[in-house]
Amino acid sequence: MTTAPQSPAPVGREELLTRLERALHTRGRALLTGPAGVGKTEVALAEAARAEARGETVLWLATLPSDREIPGAAAAALVASVAATVTWPGLGTSRPEPPAPAVPSADTHAAGADPTTEPYGAAAPGALASGILTAGVLDSGIFSSGVFDQLPGPQRTAVAMLCREAPIDAGGWDPIALRLGIARILRALTCRGPVLLVVDGVQHIDADSADLLRFALHLAPPSLRVVAVETPEPYAEAHEPYREGHRTEDPHAAHLWVPSEADVLRVPPLHADEIAELLIHHRLPSRMAGRIHRASGGNPRLALAVGRSLADARTPVHHAEALTLSGRARDLARQLLGAAPPAVRETLLLAALALRPSATLVRRAGRPTAEADLAAAERADLVSLSEDGSVTFTAGLLPSTLVHDACWAERSAGHAALAEVVDDPVEAVRHRALATERPDEELAAEVAAAADLARRRGNSALAAELALLAAESTPGRHGTRRIARLVDAAEEAARAARADLAMRAATDLLARDAGPSDRVRARLAVLDTAGQGLTGLDEMYAHAMEDSEGDTALRAAVQLRLAVKYVLADGDPERSRTAAVESAALAASMGDPRLAVQALTVQARMERALGAPDAEAVLAQARALELAERPLGIRNAAQILTIRHALFDDRLTDARDELNALLPLVQRRGSVEDTIELFSTLAAIESRRGACAAALSHAGQALALTLEAGLSPGPAWYTLALAETAGGSFARAASYARRSVQASEEEGDRVFLSRSRYALGRVQLITGDIATALETLRRVQADERAQSTVDPSMLRWHEELAEALLAQDAGDEALALLAEVRPVAERLGRSTVLLGCDRAYALCLAAEGRTDEAAELLTRTAESFGRAGLPLERGRALIALARVERRRRRRSAAQTALHEAASVFERAGAAPWLALASETPAGEGAGPGAGVEESVPALSSLTEAELRLARLVGQGASNQEAAAKLYLSVKTVEARLTRIYQKLDVRSRAQLATALRP
């Protein structure tokens, strides 16, 4: 058996693969089950690839729906596969294996191709190596394969008849001989070594083949392991599903063994974050991952279809627009729904039309078989039923497709029936309005009143839907009233964060003869639901500015939105501050403290970024107005920014205490955006103060809320990258940072693009990917300078870039950067920024050979970080101290520093940092050459960049190879090698290799 690196698991399936391998190891059998498109075949493919990498023989049998009607079809395909691709023991000559047939790509399957539709002559989906034996490959008769040579005569004859290699007698083949022959073939195959048999589409196996394989597997040795892939068929006997006296078939009739709980592995839908990763893996836009997850219900095939429809749209779909759910996405939903009998579809349509569908409600609305219909739909994974009978569709695409494909008469009749039986007057009015196509003022007034009632109940989403329905129910002759209701609907949608409804209301209003103020209010509602995606809305801003001319209050509101746009989309804090100042002045002149608070808060944010001395005074003014204007928990932008400033200043205890007092109030009364920002801020606070488990928890909550709300996940992924860097995994931190970069680029969000690049560059630097880190951090430098950001506490990239420059032998540039940022930090009083600069400067001293000064400075810096309540920064300074002490050849001092760092990280739960502290501190971690400085004292004179190059060259790399590996020019490598030779007093590569040996 050969060993090979383990194949990566499909997105979100690592734990499931582990369970699958455990089941195969302990029981030898496993059944993967789940709805179509959930990724069962992908999991089986991953396990097959791993088995092949271990040197096992892999047989893949993919069945077709038509096989069920052909006796012996699956068994014949399996025998033909073995005969065509395996050299049988005992033959005198070896048969060459046939060329591998063309195979569909794994991407085709992931996008929704049904693997059970592949012909027997095709390999399993995915690029598996030639060791996987695909059922159905038959390049010649099985007589020439030697299979029959191992079988007694009657068995040989029966198998030949099965494979149509011999005429079938009038009495058919001998069933006992055929059973024994199939069993003997599989048993003989295991003599070659372990065998994994994958049966994809076990539900399509014909009865004769199922009986043959059951018998063969019963006699097979433990070295034959089996994975069966099943898509349950809930609508068997669909033409008469509820007939009197109906008897279902044996539930195990199609199974190859009687499965137990331990054998059956249900493949679950993916979580929203996993859907985002899947989209990125397939190079699809991830910024709408939350909405795609809701539409798909976590079904990978549906999610990729929706993602591709968005990617193929002629113009980018904005957050304020409905998802493009046509083409392949709709077709897949129709396939899932199309298998349902007409009665079940009628029941599901009523459930799709209801606000709070339940079995009882649907039955009362005219479906006496509702419970049975919904139970069948649940078996098909179309809906889930709770204990109280409430119905939830597994994917949002399903009810929308049901309603989309139903004719007007069906929808109207359904709403009319539901209006008669719902027990809530608000829902009754909604259904009555949706049951009629004629606008009616009396009905519209009722719907508007229902919207007000829903708002008072706190159901903002329903209020937004009803407000728009009221406007659409208003007759055209009441044009002024309809426009007023459309404005109310747009603003109600903005309060509910329903971007799609806001856009619908605004589009309807802007097509009518509305006044300038109404047009501005509708446009502002759309802008308020755009989230981070403000790029591409310039025309809307321009029209809002034009229409607000002469109206001070509206102009103040438009200027406030422009202030946000200028910083997020344009990366221009100067212009943002100017717009915020004008908005605050206009709001004050109109006596609008609410708007003034928002404008002053944006102004204070920009003043801080620009390093203005009066930033805190402006924020205090906003905070005072906010406290006087509204209770805690409702639109507390100034207080949230106050907490953010405390975070920037590393006043972490104050920030955490104030945030913990505010968070529960915001969760009860505030917007989802404020709640997300508080969880993100809390995660950043806990990351800085070393409460790593709490940081990961809060970051996860921020991401879950973000995806649930359908907002861009870029900011939440950035927060998770910070939390993972502190206490999770450097690899996951880098992954989240890359996702944040991609989402921010898609949104045109300049602020979080810079932040996510910083998070990525920092991880790259910590993990020793110096060249890539330098490239990433240089881009952060360019981003921040383009945005005129002055305050170094808001994004601490200077110290990271200085260390990356030093590691790449650009010490002069590193010193210049530190000299540039230090006076600014001193002027603004950013004491912990200065500590980070001290750590980087100490490394510069060490690179210059001033190791005594470096060690002394790092010792003081570590102590200062400890007093400031920043344990992870303290531990990082101690790791740097250990490296310097090693260069001073003070092994005991280096070990002491490392042990102290490890203790700090262990108390904080900083798992990745603890692992880093456990590595040998020579160079950039354990590996070839680690610890060589101590055993070869002359190497202590080399910088880290020189040491990395020396190791590569000493291991045989050419100048060109070393340049490519280190992302350097060949000339730089040559110059650096010259310095290495001089320092080590060597004259050739052979002497250098000798010098590197302990």
Side-chain angles (χ1 to χ4, degrees):
M1 179 181 296
T2 60
T3 59
Q6 184 164 280
S7 301
V11 172
R13 301 307 188 195
E14 187 62 55
E15 181 183 355
L16 181 62
L17 264 176
T18 300
R19 290 172 51 208
L20 173 60
E21 294 195 330
R22 187 184 308 122
L24 290 175
H25 177 72
T26 57
R27 304 181 61 83
R29 306 286 185 269
L31 174 66
L32 292 172
T33 184
V38 79
K40 305 179 295 295
T41 298
E42 289 295 310
V43 175
L45 278 167
E47 175 57 28
R50 292 184 176 186
E52 187 207 15
R54 293 190 295 265
E56 300 180 19
T57 298
V58 178
L59 293 170
W60 188 285
L61 173 61
T63 63
L64 293 168
S66 58
D67 288 352
R68 185 182 298 168
E69 308 303 325
I70 305 175
L78 181 63
V79 173
S81 170
V82 175
T85 57
V86 177
T87 300
W88 203 254
L91 288 180
T93 59
S94 297
R95 295 181 61 252
E97 296 200 3
V103 297
S105 67
D107 182 73
T108 301
H109 166 65
D114 188 347
T116 62
T117 63
E118 298 297 332
Y120 286 137
L128 297 179
S130 59
I132 295 183
L133 312 179
T134 306
V137 178
L138 185 57
D139 63 337
S140 60
I142 62 172
F143 286 107
S144 61
S145 69
V147 172
F148 289 139
D149 296 348
Q150 300 296 312
L151 299 178
Q155 296 176 20
R156 186 164 54 247
T157 300
V159 171
M161 290 181 181
L162 172 71
C163 296
R164 304 308 191 264
E165 295 283 342
I168 301 178
D169 296 339
W173 54 64
D174 182 341
I176 296 179
L178 183 58
R179 279 186 163 204
L180 294 173
I182 298 293
R184 188 182 182 99
I185 290 172
L186 291 180
R187 177 177 289 276
L189 187 61
T190 61
C191 295
R192 301 163 50 93
V195 177
L196 176 67
L197 169 62
V198 181
V199 183
D200 190 6
V202 70
Q203 73 275 8
H204 298 316
I205 292 182
D206 62 280
D208 287 358
S209 293
D211 179 67
L212 289 169
L213 291 175
R214 262 194 304 272
F215 179 80
L217 295 180
H218 178 69
L219 297 182
S223 56
L224 175 64
R225 300 175 302 139
V226 185
V227 174
V229 179
E230 173 197 57
T231 301
E233 295 186 300
Y235 306 122
E237 303 293 336
H239 55 285
E240 285 186 293
Y242 311 121
R243 69 180 184 273
E244 188 71 24
H246 172 66
R247 293 178 60 188
T248 60
E249 296 180 0
D250 179 1
H252 303 304
H255 289 157
L256 305 183
W257 69 93
V258 178
S260 67
E261 286 291 329
D263 302 339
V264 180
L265 301 177
R266 181 172 180 79
V267 181
L270 297 177
H271 299 302
D273 191 38
E274 294 166 339
I275 288 294
E277 185 179 352
L278 181 72
L279 293 171
I280 292 174
H281 181 73
H282 287 270
R283 302 182 183 277
L284 294 172
S286 62
R287 61 192 177 91
M288 292 190 179
R291 296 179 66 185
I292 293 174
H293 178 262
R294 287 203 303 273
S296 66
N299 184 296
R301 186 184 298 173
L302 281 177
L304 290 173
V306 175
R308 286 197 172 92
S309 67
L310 294 179
D312 295 341
R314 293 184 177 179
T315 57
V317 179
H318 193 268
H319 281 287
E321 298 173 345
L323 291 181
T324 304
L325 298 179
S326 57
R328 178 64 173 162
R330 279 280 186 226
D331 290 343
L332 285 174
R334 292 184 181 111
Q335 289 176 20
L336 295 173
L337 294 166
V344 174
R345 285 178 61 90
E346 291 176 21
T347 298
L348 288 175
L349 176 59
L350 274 179
L353 296 173
L355 273 178
R356 294 177 296 131
S358 68
T360 300
L361 178 65
V362 174
R363 174 166 35 81
R364 290 174 178 172
R367 299 299 304 164
T369 60
E371 282 81 2
D373 292 343
L374 292 171
E378 185 179 40
R379 290 193 298 272
D381 284 284
L382 300 178
V383 300
S384 61
L385 300 174
S386 65
E387 291 295 327
D388 62 359
S390 60
V391 180
T392 303
F393 282 90
T394 56
L397 189 54
L398 299 176
S400 73
T401 299
L402 283 164
V403 175
H404 178 274
D405 290 352
C407 68
W408 161 250
E410 291 174 318
R411 296 197 304 270
S412 177
H415 282 300
L418 290 167
E420 297 295 326
V421 296
V422 293
D423 57 3
D424 180 13
V426 171
E427 295 182 29
V429 170
R430 171 183 177 271
H431 285 300
R432 284 198 293 114
L434 292 171
T436 180
E437 61 179 342
R438 296 185 59 188
D440 180 270
E441 174 55 30
E442 183 178 347
L443 180 59
E446 287 187 65
V447 178
D452 290 336
L453 179 55
R455 184 188 308 112
R456 291 195 298 273
R457 289 176 176 177
N459 191 341
S460 57
L462 179 57
E465 180 188 347
L466 291 172
L468 181 57
L469 183 58
E472 293 173 340
S473 300
T474 305
R477 64 180 179 274
H478 299 287
T480 303
R481 192 169 297 168
R482 183 180 178 109
I483 287 173
R485 284 172 176 161
L486 284 171
V487 173
D488 291 341
E491 294 180 336
E492 195 67 57
R495 285 189 287 271
R498 284 294 304 272
D500 54 337
L501 299 183
M503 181 63 85
R504 275 178 54 189
T507 302
D508 191 348
L509 182 142
L510 294 173
R512 300 177 181 277
D513 189 20
S517 63
D518 291 331
R519 293 199 297 269
V520 172
R521 290 170 63 189
R523 288 188 171 107
L524 292 180
V526 173
L527 295 174
D528 288 344
T529 59
Q532 309 298 120
L534 301 178
T535 301
L537 297 177
D538 288 350
E539 185 177 350
M540 188 166 288
Y541 284 104
H543 284 306
M545 282 292 288
E546 180 182 350
D547 287 337
S548 65
E549 185 72 36
D551 189 321
T552 304
L554 287 178
R555 176 54 64 92
V558 174
Q559 286 287 357
L560 175 62
R561 273 65 172 196
L562 280 170
V564 175
K565 184 241 184 203
Y566 289 148
V567 66
L568 285 183
D570 299 344
D572 191 342
E574 287 276 9
R575 199 175 179 192
S576 176
R577 176 174 61 178
T578 301
V581 169
E582 182 176 347
S583 176
L586 292 172
S589 70
M590 293 296 298
D592 187 343
R594 179 187 64 81
L595 190 58
V597 167
Q598 292 176 279
L600 287 170
T601 302
V602 175
Q603 180 187 345
R605 191 188 301 269
M606 296 305 100
E607 300 277 17
R608 172 88 187 210
L610 295 169
D614 56 348
E616 296 304 321
V618 174
L619 181 56
Q621 182 184 355
R623 180 78 182 275
L625 280 174
E626 185 176 83
L627 290 174
E629 169 64 16
R630 62 175 63 87
L632 286 175
I634 302 177
R635 296 183 181 271
N636 298 125
Q639 187 174 2
I640 293 174
L641 185 58
T642 301
I643 296 170
R644 296 285 301 176
H645 282 195
L647 167 63
F648 297 151
D649 294 336
D650 282 325
R651 294 182 281 112
L652 301 178
T653 301
D654 294 344
R656 184 192 57 176
D657 292 346
E658 192 168 354
L659 194 153
N660 282 333
L662 180 63
L663 179 59
L665 299 175
V666 172
Q667 287 178 293
R668 287 202 301 271
R669 306 172 182 169
S671 65
V672 65
E673 290 90 344
D674 282 352
T675 304
I676 291 169
E677 183 164 6
L678 286 180
F679 273 121
S680 297
T681 302
L682 189 54
I685 291 170
E686 301 293 24
S687 295
R688 287 288 287 171
R689 61 186 297 270
C692 297
L696 287 166
S697 174
H698 297 318
Q701 288 175 286
L703 178 62
L705 288 171
T706 296
L707 294 173
E708 183 180 344
L711 301 173
S712 172
W717 281 334
Y718 163 72
T719 302
L720 256 174
L722 296 182
E724 288 287 349
T725 302
S729 155
F730 288 143
R732 286 196 300 270
S735 174
Y736 281 122
R738 289 190 184 94
R739 294 192 213 175
S740 184
V741 168
Q742 177 173 325
S744 299
E745 287 176 335
E746 291 171 5
E747 296 287 11
D749 184 343
R750 302 281 293 278
V751 171
F752 274 96
L753 178 58
S754 182
R755 292 180 184 180
S756 54
R757 282 175 175 161
Y758 157 76
L760 178 59
R762 184 167 180 256
V763 173
Q764 290 167 339
L765 176 64
I766 293 167
T767 55
D769 189 2
I770 305 299
T772 308
L774 180 58
E775 179 183 355
T776 304
L777 292 169
R778 281 195 188 278
R779 299 185 72 177
V780 176
Q781 180 185 40
D783 291 343
E784 292 296 294
R785 288 181 173 172
Q787 297 176 53
S788 304
T789 304
V790 174
D791 192 330
S793 68
M794 299 182 70
L795 197 65
R796 302 181 182 227
W797 56 270
H798 303 81
E799 61 198 67
E800 310 295 348
L801 178 55
E803 185 172 342
L805 287 167
L806 180 65
Q808 283 295 86
D809 239 13
D812 291 343
E813 192 177 349
L815 288 171
L817 177 62
L818 294 174
E820 173 188 324
V821 70
R822 187 178 292 277
V824 178
E826 290 173 346
R827 174 174 63 84
L828 297 175
R830 310 301 187 227
S831 57
T832 54
V833 172
L834 292 170
L835 291 177
C837 292
D838 286 343
R839 178 182 56 78
Y841 181 64
L843 295 176
C844 291
L845 291 176
E848 293 174 353
R850 299 157 64 183
T851 53
D852 292 346
E853 296 174 62
E856 182 180 351
L857 180 55
L858 283 170
T859 300
R860 292 200 308 270
T861 301
E863 293 171 353
S864 298
F865 273 132
R867 288 192 297 270
L870 301 171
L872 301 192
E873 294 296 333
R874 179 189 172 207
R876 189 175 178 186
L878 288 169
I879 289 178
L881 175 61
R883 288 160 57 188
V884 172
E885 294 289 16
R886 185 63 63 97
R887 291 173 68 88
R888 298 171 73 196
R889 297 197 292 274
R890 299 182 67 216
R891 178 182 178 84
S892 178
Q895 289 299 322
T896 299
L898 272 184
H899 291 158
E900 187 176 353
S903 178
V904 168
F905 295 141
E906 188 172 15
R907 287 195 299 271
W913 291 94
L914 181 59
L916 197 65
S918 301
E919 294 177 354
T920 303
E924 291 299 305
V932 74
E933 288 180 81
E934 180 187 355
S935 55
V936 184
L939 296 184
S940 63
S941 62
L942 299 182
T943 67
E944 291 171 5
E946 290 168 347
L947 185 58
R948 281 195 299 275
L949 177 58
R951 289 175 182 160
L952 282 174
V953 173
Q955 292 165 5
S958 67
N959 287 1
Q960 289 80 6
E961 291 169 340
K965 181 74 173 178
L966 298 175
Y967 299 94
L968 300 172
S969 69
V970 175
K971 287 186 176 180
T972 301
V973 168
E974 291 171 350
R976 197 171 290 178
L977 264 179
T978 299
R979 292 197 299 273
I980 293 171
Y981 283 10
Q982 291 171 348
K983 289 182 179 183
L984 299 183
D985 192 23
V986 298
R987 296 169 180 263
S988 67
R989 293 173 180 269
Q991 290 180 354
L992 175 60
T994 302
L996 289 172
R997 297 194 191 107

